[in-house]
Coordinates of all heavy atoms in Angstrom, one line a residue:
M282 N 5.4 -14.8 20.3 CA 4.2 -14.0 20.3 C 3.1 -15.0 20.0 O 3.1 -15.7 19.0 CB 4.3 -12.9 19.3 CG 3.0 -12.2 19.2 SD 3.0 -10.9 17.9 CE 4.4 -10.0 18.2
A283 N 2.1 -15.0 20.8 CA 0.9 -15.9 20.6 C 0.0 -15.2 19.7 O -0.4 -14.1 19.8 CB 0.2 -16.1 22.0
K284 N -0.4 -16.0 18.7 CA -1.4 -15.5 17.7 C -2.8 -15.8 18.2 O -3.1 -16.8 18.7 CB -1.2 -16.2 16.4 CG 0.1 -15.8 15.7 CD 0.1 -16.3 14.3 CE 1.3 -15.7 13.6 NZ 1.3 -15.9 12.2
T285 N -3.6 -14.7 18.1 CA -5.0 -14.9 18.5 C -5.8 -15.2 17.2 O -5.6 -14.6 16.2 CB -5.5 -13.6 19.2 OG1 -5.4 -12.5 18.3 CG2 -4.7 -13.4 20.4
Q286 N -6.8 -16.0 17.4 CA -7.7 -16.4 16.2 C -8.8 -15.3 16.1 O -9.5 -15.0 17.1 CB -8.3 -17.8 16.5 CG -9.2 -18.2 15.4 CD -8.4 -18.5 14.1 OE1 -7.2 -18.8 14.1 NE2 -9.1 -18.3 13.0
W287 N -8.9 -14.8 14.9 CA -9.9 -13.8 14.7 C -11.3 -14.5 14.5 O -11.3 -15.5 13.8 CB -9.6 -13.0 13.4 CG -10.6 -12.0 13.0 CD1 -10.8 -10.8 13.5 CD2 -11.6 -12.2 12.0 NE1 -11.9 -10.2 12.9 CE2 -12.4 -11.0 12.0 CE3 -11.9 -13.2 11.1 CZ2 -13.5 -10.9 11.1 CZ3 -13.0 -13.0 10.3 CH2 -13.7 -11.9 10.3
Q288 N -12.3 -13.9 15.0 CA -13.6 -14.5 14.9 C -14.6 -13.5 14.4 O -14.6 -12.3 14.7 CB -14.1 -15.0 16.2 CG -13.3 -16.2 16.8 CD -13.8 -16.7 18.1 OE1 -14.8 -16.2 18.6 NE2 -13.2 -17.7 18.6
K289 N -15.4 -13.9 13.4 CA -16.4 -13.1 12.8 C -17.5 -12.7 13.8 O -18.0 -13.5 14.6 CB -17.0 -13.8 11.6 CG -18.0 -13.0 10.9 CD -18.5 -13.7 9.6 CE -19.5 -12.9 8.9 NZ -20.0 -13.7 7.7
D290 N -17.8 -11.4 13.9 CA -18.9 -10.9 14.8 C -20.2 -10.9 14.0 O -20.4 -10.2 13.0 CB -18.5 -9.5 15.2 CG -19.4 -9.0 16.3 OD1 -20.4 -9.7 16.7 OD2 -19.3 -7.8 16.7
P291 N -21.1 -11.7 14.5 CA -22.4 -11.8 13.7 C -23.3 -10.5 13.9 O -24.2 -10.3 13.1 CB -23.1 -13.0 14.4 CG -22.5 -13.1 15.7 CD -21.1 -12.6 15.6
N292 N -22.9 -9.7 14.8 CA -23.7 -8.4 15.0 C -23.3 -7.3 14.1 O -23.9 -6.2 14.1 CB -23.6 -8.0 16.4 CG -24.2 -9.0 17.4 OD1 -25.1 -9.7 17.1 ND2 -23.6 -9.1 18.6
H293 N -22.3 -7.5 13.3 CA -21.8 -6.4 12.4 C -21.8 -6.9 11.0 O -21.8 -8.1 10.7 CB -20.4 -6.0 12.8 CG -20.4 -5.3 14.1 ND1 -20.1 -5.9 15.3 CD2 -20.6 -4.0 14.4 CE1 -20.1 -5.0 16.3 NE2 -20.5 -3.8 15.8
G294 N -21.7 -6.0 10.1 CA -21.7 -6.3 8.6 C -20.3 -6.7 8.1 O -19.3 -6.8 8.8
F295 N -20.3 -6.9 6.8 CA -19.2 -7.5 6.1 C -18.0 -6.5 6.2 O -16.9 -6.9 6.5 CB -19.5 -7.7 4.6 CG -18.4 -8.2 3.8 CD1 -17.8 -9.4 3.9 CD2 -17.8 -7.3 2.9 CE1 -16.7 -9.8 3.2 CE2 -16.7 -7.6 2.1 CZ -16.2 -8.9 2.3
I296 N -18.2 -5.2 5.9 CA -17.1 -4.2 5.9 C -16.5 -4.1 7.3 O -15.3 -4.0 7.4 CB -17.7 -2.9 5.3 CG1 -18.1 -3.0 3.9 CG2 -16.6 -1.8 5.5 CD1 -18.7 -1.8 3.3
W297 N -17.4 -4.0 8.3 CA -16.9 -3.9 9.7 C -16.0 -5.1 10.0 O -14.9 -4.9 10.6 CB -18.0 -3.8 10.6 CG -17.6 -3.7 12.1 CD1 -17.4 -4.7 13.0 CD2 -17.2 -2.5 12.7 NE1 -17.0 -4.2 14.1 CE2 -16.8 -2.8 14.0 CE3 -17.2 -1.1 12.4 CZ2 -16.4 -1.9 15.0 CZ3 -16.8 -0.2 13.3 CH2 -16.4 -0.6 14.6
N298 N -16.4 -6.3 9.7 CA -15.7 -7.5 10.0 C -14.3 -7.5 9.2 O -13.3 -8.0 9.7 CB -16.5 -8.7 9.6 CG -17.5 -9.0 10.7 OD1 -17.3 -8.9 11.9 ND2 -18.7 -9.5 10.3
C299 N -14.3 -7.0 8.0 CA -13.1 -6.9 7.2 C -12.1 -6.0 7.9 O -10.9 -6.3 8.0 CB -13.3 -6.5 5.8 SG -14.1 -7.8 4.8
I300 N -12.6 -4.8 8.3 CA -11.7 -3.8 9.0 C -11.2 -4.4 10.3 O -10.0 -4.3 10.6 CB -12.5 -2.5 9.2 CG1 -12.7 -1.9 7.8 CG2 -11.7 -1.6 10.1 CD1 -13.7 -0.7 7.9
D301 N -12.1 -5.1 11.0 CA -11.7 -5.7 12.3 C -10.6 -6.8 12.1 O -9.7 -6.9 12.8 CB -12.9 -6.2 13.0 CG -12.6 -6.7 14.4 OD1 -11.9 -6.0 15.1 OD2 -13.1 -7.7 14.8
H302 N -10.8 -7.5 11.0 CA -9.8 -8.6 10.7 C -8.5 -8.0 10.4 O -7.4 -8.5 10.8 CB -10.4 -9.5 9.6 CG -9.4 -10.5 9.1 ND1 -9.0 -11.5 9.9 CD2 -8.7 -10.6 7.9 CE1 -8.1 -12.3 9.2 NE2 -7.9 -11.7 8.0
L303 N -8.4 -7.0 9.6 CA -7.2 -6.3 9.2 C -6.5 -5.7 10.4 O -5.3 -5.8 10.6 CB -7.4 -5.3 8.1 CG -7.7 -5.8 6.7 CD1 -8.0 -4.7 5.8 CD2 -6.6 -6.7 6.2
A304 N -7.3 -5.1 11.3 CA -6.7 -4.5 12.5 C -6.1 -5.5 13.4 O -5.0 -5.4 14.0 CB -7.7 -3.6 13.2
T305 N -6.8 -6.6 13.5 CA -6.4 -7.7 14.4 C -5.1 -8.4 13.8 O -4.2 -8.7 14.5 CB -7.5 -8.8 14.6 OG1 -8.6 -8.1 15.1 CG2 -7.0 -9.9 15.5
W306 N -5.1 -8.6 12.5 CA -3.9 -9.1 11.8 C -2.7 -8.3 12.0 O -1.6 -8.8 12.3 CB -4.2 -9.4 10.4 CG -2.9 -9.7 9.6 CD1 -2.4 -10.9 9.5 CD2 -2.1 -8.8 8.9 NE1 -1.2 -10.8 8.8 CE2 -1.0 -9.5 8.4 CE3 -2.1 -7.4 8.7 CZ2 0.0 -8.9 7.7 CZ3 -1.1 -6.8 7.9 CH2 -0.1 -7.6 7.4
Y307 N -2.8 -7.0 11.9 CA -1.7 -6.1 12.0 C -1.1 -6.1 13.4 O 0.1 -6.1 13.5 CB -2.1 -4.6 11.6 CG -1.0 -3.7 11.5 CD1 -0.1 -3.7 10.4 CD2 -0.7 -2.8 12.5 CE1 0.9 -2.8 10.4 CE2 0.3 -1.9 12.5 CZ 1.2 -1.9 11.4 OH 2.2 -1.1 11.3
D308 N -2.0 -6.1 14.4 CA -1.5 -6.1 15.8 C -0.8 -7.5 16.1 O 0.1 -7.5 16.9 CB -2.6 -5.9 16.7 CG -3.1 -4.5 16.7 OD1 -2.4 -3.6 16.2 OD2 -4.3 -4.2 17.1
G309 N -1.2 -8.6 15.5 CA -0.7 -9.9 15.8 C 0.3 -10.4 14.9 O 0.8 -11.5 15.0
R310 N 0.8 -9.5 14.0 CA 1.7 -10.0 13.0 C 3.1 -10.2 13.6 O 3.4 -9.6 14.6 CB 1.8 -9.1 11.8 CG 2.6 -7.8 12.1 CD 2.5 -6.8 11.0 NE 3.5 -5.8 11.0 CZ 3.5 -4.8 11.8 NH1 2.6 -4.7 12.8 NH2 4.5 -3.9 11.8
E311 N 3.9 -11.0 12.9 CA 5.3 -11.3 13.4 C 6.2 -10.2 12.9 O 6.2 -10.0 11.7 CB 5.7 -12.7 12.9 CG 7.0 -13.1 13.4 CD 7.4 -14.5 13.0 OE1 6.5 -15.3 12.6 OE2 8.6 -14.8 13.0
K312 N 6.9 -9.6 13.8 CA 7.9 -8.6 13.4 C 9.2 -9.2 13.1 O 9.7 -10.1 13.7 CB 7.9 -7.5 14.4 CG 6.6 -6.8 14.7 CD 6.7 -5.7 15.7 CE 5.4 -5.0 15.8 NZ 4.4 -5.6 16.6
H313 N 9.9 -8.6 12.0 CA 11.2 -9.1 11.6 C 12.2 -8.1 11.8 O 12.1 -6.9 11.5 CB 11.2 -9.5 10.1 CG 10.1 -10.5 9.8 ND1 10.3 -11.9 10.0 CD2 8.9 -10.4 9.2 CE1 9.3 -12.5 9.6 NE2 8.4 -11.7 9.1
A314 N 13.4 -8.5 12.4 CA 14.5 -7.6 12.6 C 15.3 -7.5 11.3 O 15.5 -8.5 10.6 CB 15.4 -8.1 13.7
V315 N 15.6 -6.3 10.9 CA 16.4 -6.1 9.6 C 17.6 -5.3 10.0 O 17.6 -4.5 10.9 CB 15.6 -5.4 8.5 CG1 14.5 -6.3 8.1 CG2 15.1 -4.1 8.9
N316 N 18.7 -5.4 9.2 CA 19.9 -4.7 9.3 C 19.7 -3.3 8.8 O 19.3 -3.1 7.6 CB 21.0 -5.4 8.6 CG 22.4 -4.7 8.8 OD1 22.4 -3.6 9.2 ND2 23.4 -5.5 8.6
R317 N 19.9 -2.2 9.6 CA 19.6 -0.9 9.2 C 20.5 -0.4 8.0 O 20.0 0.2 7.1 CB 19.8 0.1 10.3 CG 19.5 1.5 9.9 CD 19.8 2.5 11.0 NE 18.8 2.4 12.1 CZ 18.8 3.3 13.1 NH1 19.7 4.2 13.2 NH2 17.8 3.1 14.0
K318 N 21.8 -0.8 8.0 CA 22.6 -0.4 6.9 C 22.2 -1.0 5.6 O 22.1 -0.4 4.5 CB 24.1 -0.8 7.2 CG 24.9 0.1 7.9 CD 26.3 -0.4 8.0 CE 27.2 0.6 8.8 NZ 28.6 0.1 8.8
T319 N 21.8 -2.3 5.6 CA 21.4 -3.0 4.4 C 20.1 -2.4 3.9 O 19.9 -2.2 2.7 CB 21.2 -4.5 4.7 OG1 22.4 -5.0 5.2 CG2 20.8 -5.2 3.4
Y320 N 19.2 -2.1 4.9 CA 17.9 -1.5 4.5 C 18.1 -0.1 3.8 O 17.5 0.2 2.8 CB 17.0 -1.3 5.8 CG 15.6 -0.8 5.5 CD1 14.6 -1.7 5.2 CD2 15.3 0.5 5.7 CE1 13.3 -1.3 4.9 CE2 14.0 1.0 5.5 CZ 13.0 0.1 5.1 OH 11.8 0.5 4.9
L321 N 19.0 0.7 4.4 CA 19.2 2.0 3.8 C 19.9 1.9 2.4 O 19.7 2.7 1.5 CB 20.1 2.9 4.8 CG 19.3 3.4 6.0 CD1 20.3 4.0 7.0 CD2 18.2 4.3 5.6
R322 N 20.8 0.9 2.3 CA 21.4 0.7 1.0 C 20.4 0.3 -0.1 O 20.5 0.7 -1.2 CB 22.5 -0.3 1.1 CG 23.7 0.2 1.8 CD 24.8 -0.8 1.9 NE 25.9 -0.3 2.7 CZ 26.8 -1.0 3.4 NH1 26.7 -2.3 3.4 NH2 27.8 -0.4 4.0
L323 N 19.4 -0.5 0.4 CA 18.4 -1.0 -0.6 C 17.4 0.1 -0.9 O 16.6 0.0 -1.8 CB 17.7 -2.2 0.0 CG 18.5 -3.5 -0.1 CD1 17.7 -4.6 0.6 CD2 18.7 -3.9 -1.6
C324 N 17.4 1.2 -0.1 CA 16.6 2.4 -0.4 C 17.0 3.0 -1.7 O 16.2 3.7 -2.3 CB 16.6 3.4 0.7 SG 15.5 2.9 2.1
I325 N 18.2 2.8 -2.1 CA 18.6 3.3 -3.5 C 17.8 2.6 -4.5 O 17.4 3.3 -5.5 CB 20.1 3.0 -3.7 CG1 21.0 3.7 -2.7 CG2 20.6 3.3 -5.1 CD1 22.4 3.3 -2.6
L326 N 17.4 1.4 -4.3 CA 16.6 0.7 -5.3 C 15.1 0.7 -4.8 O 14.3 -0.1 -5.2 CB 17.0 -0.8 -5.4 CG 18.4 -1.0 -6.0 CD1 18.7 -2.5 -5.9 CD2 18.4 -0.5 -7.4
G327 N 14.8 1.7 -3.9 CA 13.5 1.8 -3.3 C 12.4 2.0 -4.3 O 11.2 1.7 -4.0
I328 N 12.7 2.7 -5.4 CA 11.6 2.9 -6.4 C 11.0 1.6 -6.9 O 9.9 1.5 -7.3 CB 12.2 3.7 -7.5 CG1 11.1 4.2 -8.5 CG2 13.2 3.0 -8.3 CD1 11.5 5.2 -9.5
F329 N 11.8 0.5 -6.8 CA 11.3 -0.8 -7.2 C 10.9 -1.7 -6.0 O 10.5 -2.8 -6.2 CB 12.4 -1.5 -8.0 CG 12.9 -0.8 -9.2 CD1 14.2 -0.3 -9.2 CD2 12.1 -0.5 -10.3 CE1 14.6 0.4 -10.3 CE2 12.5 0.2 -11.4 CZ 13.8 0.7 -11.4
G330 N 10.9 -1.1 -4.8 CA 10.4 -1.8 -3.7 C 11.4 -2.8 -3.0 O 11.0 -3.7 -2.3
A331 N 12.7 -2.7 -3.4 CA 13.7 -3.7 -2.9 C 13.8 -3.7 -1.4 O 13.9 -4.7 -0.7 CB 15.0 -3.4 -3.5
H332 N 13.7 -2.5 -0.8 CA 13.9 -2.4 0.7 C 12.7 -3.0 1.4 O 12.8 -3.5 2.5 CB 14.1 -0.9 1.1 CG 13.0 0.0 0.8 ND1 12.6 0.3 -0.5 CD2 12.2 0.7 1.7 CE1 11.6 1.2 -0.4 NE2 11.3 1.4 0.9
Q333 N 11.5 -2.9 0.8 CA 10.3 -3.5 1.4 C 10.3 -5.0 1.3 O 9.9 -5.7 2.2 CB 9.0 -2.9 0.8 CG 8.8 -1.4 1.0 CD 8.6 -1.1 2.5 OE1 8.3 -2.0 3.3 NE2 8.7 0.2 2.8
L334 N 10.8 -5.5 0.2 CA 10.9 -6.9 0.1 C 11.9 -7.5 1.0 O 11.8 -8.6 1.6 CB 11.3 -7.3 -1.4 CG 10.2 -7.0 -2.4 CD1 10.7 -7.1 -3.8 CD2 9.0 -7.8 -2.2
Y335 N 13.0 -6.7 1.3 CA 14.0 -7.1 2.2 C 13.4 -7.2 3.6 O 13.8 -8.1 4.4 CB 15.2 -6.2 2.2 CG 16.2 -6.4 3.3 CD1 17.1 -7.6 3.3 CD2 16.4 -5.5 4.3 CE1 18.0 -7.8 4.3 CE2 17.3 -5.7 5.3 CZ 18.1 -6.9 5.3 OH 19.0 -7.1 6.3
A336 N 12.6 -6.2 3.9 CA 12.0 -6.2 5.3 C 10.8 -7.1 5.4 O 10.1 -7.1 6.4 CB 11.5 -4.7 5.5
K337 N 10.6 -8.0 4.5 CA 9.6 -9.1 4.5 C 8.2 -8.4 4.5 O 7.3 -8.9 5.2 CB 9.8 -10.0 5.6 CG 11.1 -10.8 5.4 CD 11.3 -11.9 6.5 CE 12.6 -12.6 6.2 NZ 13.0 -13.5 7.2
Q338 N 8.0 -7.4 3.7 CA 6.7 -6.8 3.5 C 6.4 -6.9 2.0 O 6.5 -5.9 1.3 CB 6.7 -5.4 4.0 CG 7.0 -5.2 5.4 CD 7.0 -3.8 5.9 OE1 7.3 -2.9 5.2 NE2 6.7 -3.6 7.2
P339 N 6.0 -8.1 1.5 CA 5.9 -8.2 0.0 C 4.8 -7.4 -0.6 O 4.8 -7.0 -1.7 CB 5.6 -9.7 -0.1 CG 5.1 -10.2 1.2 CD 5.8 -9.3 2.2
I340 N 3.7 -7.2 0.2 CA 2.6 -6.4 -0.4 C 3.1 -5.0 -0.7 O 2.8 -4.4 -1.8 CB 1.4 -6.4 0.6 CG1 0.8 -7.8 0.7 CG2 0.3 -5.4 0.1 CD1 -0.2 -8.0 1.8
L341 N 3.8 -4.3 0.2 CA 4.3 -3.0 0.0 C 5.4 -3.0 -1.1 O 5.4 -2.1 -1.9 CB 4.9 -2.4 1.2 CG 3.9 -1.9 2.2 CD1 4.6 -1.4 3.5 CD2 3.1 -0.8 1.6
G342 N 6.2 -4.1 -1.2 CA 7.2 -4.2 -2.2 C 6.6 -4.3 -3.6 O 7.0 -3.6 -4.5
V343 N 5.5 -5.0 -3.7 CA 4.8 -5.1 -5.0 C 4.1 -3.8 -5.3 O 4.1 -3.4 -6.5 CB 3.8 -6.3 -5.0 CG1 2.9 -6.3 -6.2 CG2 4.6 -7.6 -4.9
L344 N 3.5 -3.1 -4.3 CA 2.9 -1.8 -4.5 C 3.9 -0.8 -5.0 O 3.7 -0.1 -6.0 CB 2.3 -1.3 -3.3 CG 1.6 0.1 -3.3 CD1 0.4 0.0 -4.2 CD2 1.3 0.5 -2.0
Y345 N 5.1 -0.8 -4.5 CA 6.2 0.1 -4.9 C 6.6 -0.2 -6.4 O 6.8 0.7 -7.2 CB 7.4 0.0 -4.0 CG 7.3 0.8 -2.7 CD1 6.2 0.8 -2.0 CD2 8.4 1.5 -2.3 CE1 6.1 1.5 -0.8 CE2 8.3 2.2 -1.1 CZ 7.2 2.2 -0.3 OH 7.1 2.9 0.8
L346 N 6.7 -1.5 -6.7 CA 7.1 -1.9 -8.0 C 6.0 -1.6 -9.0 O 6.3 -1.1 -10.1 CB 7.3 -3.4 -8.0 CG 7.8 -4.0 -9.3 CD1 9.1 -3.4 -9.7 CD2 7.9 -5.6 -9.2
A347 N 4.7 -1.7 -8.6 CA 3.6 -1.4 -9.6 C 3.5 0.1 -9.8 O 3.0 0.5 -10.9 CB 2.3 -1.9 -9.0
T348 N 4.0 0.9 -8.9 CA 3.8 2.4 -9.0 C 5.2 3.0 -9.3 O 5.3 4.2 -9.0 CB 3.2 3.0 -7.8 OG1 4.0 2.7 -6.6 CG2 1.8 2.5 -7.6
C349 N 6.2 2.3 -9.7 CA 7.5 2.8 -9.9 C 7.5 3.9 -11.0 O 8.4 4.7 -11.1 CB 8.5 1.8 -10.2 SG 8.3 0.9 -11.8
W350 N 6.6 3.9 -11.9 CA 6.5 4.9 -13.0 C 6.0 6.3 -12.5 O 6.2 7.3 -13.1 CB 5.6 4.4 -14.1 CG 4.2 4.1 -13.6 CD1 3.8 2.9 -13.1 CD2 3.1 5.0 -13.4 NE1 2.5 3.0 -12.7 CE2 2.0 4.3 -12.9 CE3 2.9 6.3 -13.7 CZ2 0.8 4.8 -12.6 CZ3 1.6 6.9 -13.5 CH2 0.6 6.1 -12.9
S351 N 5.4 6.3 -11.3 CA 4.9 7.5 -10.7 C 5.8 8.0 -9.6 O 6.8 7.4 -9.3 CB 3.5 7.3 -10.2 OG 3.5 6.5 -9.0
G352 N 5.4 9.1 -9.1 CA 6.3 9.7 -8.0 C 5.9 9.1 -6.6 O 6.6 9.4 -5.6
F353 N 4.9 8.2 -6.6 CA 4.5 7.7 -5.3 C 5.6 6.9 -4.6 O 6.0 7.1 -3.4 CB 3.3 6.8 -5.4 CG 2.9 6.0 -4.2 CD1 2.3 6.6 -3.2 CD2 3.2 4.6 -4.1 CE1 2.0 5.9 -2.0 CE2 2.9 3.9 -3.0 CZ 2.3 4.6 -1.9
S354 N 6.2 6.0 -5.4 CA 7.3 5.1 -4.8 C 8.5 5.9 -4.4 O 9.2 5.6 -3.4 CB 7.6 3.9 -5.7 OG 8.1 4.4 -6.9
I355 N 8.8 6.9 -5.2 CA 10.0 7.8 -4.9 C 9.8 8.5 -3.6 O 10.6 8.5 -2.7 CB 10.3 8.7 -6.0 CG1 10.7 8.0 -7.3 CG2 11.4 9.7 -5.6 CD1 10.7 8.8 -8.5
A356 N 8.6 9.1 -3.4 CA 8.3 9.9 -2.2 C 8.2 9.0 -1.0 O 8.8 9.3 0.1 CB 6.9 10.6 -2.4
M357 N 7.6 7.8 -1.1 CA 7.5 6.9 0.0 C 8.9 6.3 0.4 O 9.1 6.0 1.6 CB 6.5 5.8 -0.2 CG 5.1 6.3 -0.3 SD 4.6 7.4 1.0 CE 4.7 6.3 2.4
T358 N 9.7 6.1 -0.6 CA 11.1 5.6 -0.3 C 11.9 6.7 0.5 O 12.6 6.3 1.4 CB 11.8 5.3 -1.6 OG1 11.1 4.2 -2.3 CG2 13.2 4.8 -1.3
L359 N 11.7 7.9 0.1 CA 12.4 9.0 0.9 C 11.9 9.0 2.3 O 12.6 9.2 3.3 CB 12.1 10.4 0.2 CG 12.9 10.6 -1.1 CD1 12.4 11.9 -1.7 CD2 14.4 10.6 -0.8
V360 N 10.6 8.8 2.5 CA 10.0 8.8 3.9 C 10.5 7.6 4.6 O 10.9 7.7 5.8 CB 8.4 8.7 3.8 CG1 7.9 8.4 5.2 CG2 7.9 10.1 3.3
D361 N 10.6 6.4 4.0 CA 11.1 5.2 4.6 C 12.6 5.4 5.0 O 13.0 5.0 6.1 CB 11.0 4.0 3.7 CG 9.6 3.6 3.5 OD1 8.7 3.9 4.3 OD2 9.3 2.9 2.5
A362 N 13.4 6.1 4.1 CA 14.8 6.3 4.4 C 15.0 7.2 5.6 O 15.9 7.0 6.5 CB 15.5 6.8 3.2
I363 N 14.2 8.3 5.7 CA 14.3 9.2 6.8 C 13.9 8.5 8.1 O 14.5 8.7 9.1 CB 13.4 10.4 6.5 CG1 14.0 11.3 5.4 CG2 13.2 11.3 7.8 CD1 13.1 12.4 4.9
I364 N 12.8 7.7 8.1 CA 12.4 7.0 9.3 C 13.5 6.0 9.7 O 13.8 5.9 10.9 CB 11.1 6.3 9.1 CG1 10.0 7.3 8.9 CG2 10.8 5.3 10.2 CD1 8.6 6.8 8.5
A365 N 14.0 5.3 8.8 CA 15.0 4.2 9.1 C 16.3 4.9 9.5 O 17.1 4.3 10.4 CB 15.3 3.3 7.9
G366 N 16.7 6.0 9.0 CA 17.9 6.7 9.3 C 17.8 7.4 10.7 O 18.9 8.0 11.1
G367 N 16.7 7.5 11.3 CA 16.6 8.2 12.6 C 16.1 9.6 12.5 O 16.2 10.4 13.4
G368 N 15.7 10.0 11.3 CA 15.2 11.4 11.1 C 16.4 12.4 11.1 O 17.5 12.1 10.8
M369 N 16.1 13.6 11.5 CA 17.1 14.6 11.5 C 18.0 14.4 12.7 O 17.5 14.1 13.8 CB 16.4 16.0 11.6 CG 15.6 16.4 10.4 SD 14.7 17.9 10.6 CE 16.0 19.0 10.9
V370 N 19.3 14.6 12.5 CA 20.2 14.5 13.6 C 20.2 15.8 14.4 O 20.3 16.9 13.8 CB 21.7 14.2 13.1 CG1 22.6 14.2 14.2 CG2 21.7 12.9 12.3
G371 N 20.1 15.7 15.7 CA 20.0 16.9 16.5 C 18.6 17.5 16.5 O 17.7 16.9 16.0
G372 N 18.5 18.6 17.1 CA 17.2 19.3 17.1 C 17.2 20.5 16.1 O 18.1 20.6 15.3
L373 N 16.3 21.3 16.2 CA 16.2 22.5 15.4 C 17.3 23.4 15.7 O 17.6 23.8 16.9 CB 14.9 23.2 15.5 CG 13.7 22.4 15.0 CD1 12.4 23.2 15.4 CD2 13.8 22.2 13.5
G374 N 18.1 23.9 14.7 CA 19.1 24.8 15.0 C 20.5 24.2 15.4 O 21.5 24.8 15.5
E375 N 20.5 22.9 15.7 CA 21.7 22.2 16.0 C 22.4 21.6 14.8 O 21.7 21.1 13.9 CB 21.4 21.1 17.1 CG 20.9 21.6 18.4 CD 20.7 20.5 19.4 OE1 21.2 19.4 19.2 OE2 19.9 20.7 20.3
R376 N 23.7 21.5 14.8 CA 24.4 20.9 13.7 C 25.3 19.8 14.2 O 25.9 19.8 15.2 CB 25.2 21.9 12.9 CG 24.2 22.8 12.2 CD 25.0 23.7 11.3 NE 24.0 24.5 10.6 CZ 24.1 24.8 9.3 NH1 25.1 24.4 8.6 NH2 23.2 25.5 8.7

């Protein structure tokens, strides 16, 4: 993947340039393949951000670790596990 160099737009202010830089960085970031089984197993330690650190997302991992005393990291770990697990199996009413 070719990385594009972000350039500051002189016609916009500081906040607009920061948002534009973050959006450009997110689109151009390098994606990492992770093993789904290992990721789901690390969701057990998700309250401490272990699965995010495994997925090479250190900022989210530290955020989960910093908020492990609250319900935020528990709720987001459940969301991450559902997304990684493929969501609900079947459709509505199917078993």
Side-chain angles (χ1 to χ4, degrees):
M282 176 185 307
K284 291 192 173 192
T285 59
Q286 181 65 30
W287 177 80
Q288 294 181 357
K289 183 177 178 181
D290 187 1
N292 297 327
H293 291 98
F295 175 75
I296 295 174
W297 180 268
N298 282 321
C299 288
I300 293 170
D301 189 41
H302 175 66
L303 288 174
T305 305
W306 168 82
Y307 186 77
D308 291 339
R310 76 188 195 287
E311 185 177 340
K312 296 181 175 84
H313 301 280
V315 295
N316 186 339
R317 182 186 284 186
K318 274 187 180 178
T319 305
Y320 185 84
L321 288 172
R322 288 178 183 155
L323 285 173
C324 279
I325 295 169
L326 298 173
I328 189 171
F329 303 112
H332 64 296
Q333 294 295 346
L334 293 171
Y335 172 71
K337 296 185 180 170
Q338 296 179 336
I340 295 173
L341 283 177
V343 170
L344 178 68
Y345 280 43
L346 183 62
T348 60
C349 67
W350 56 270
S351 69
F353 172 77
S354 61
I355 296 169
M357 293 310 298
T358 298
L359 289 174
V360 170
D361 291 338
I363 290 171
I364 291 171
M369 294 176 56
V370 177
L373 293 174
E375 294 181 20
R376 290 187 179 220

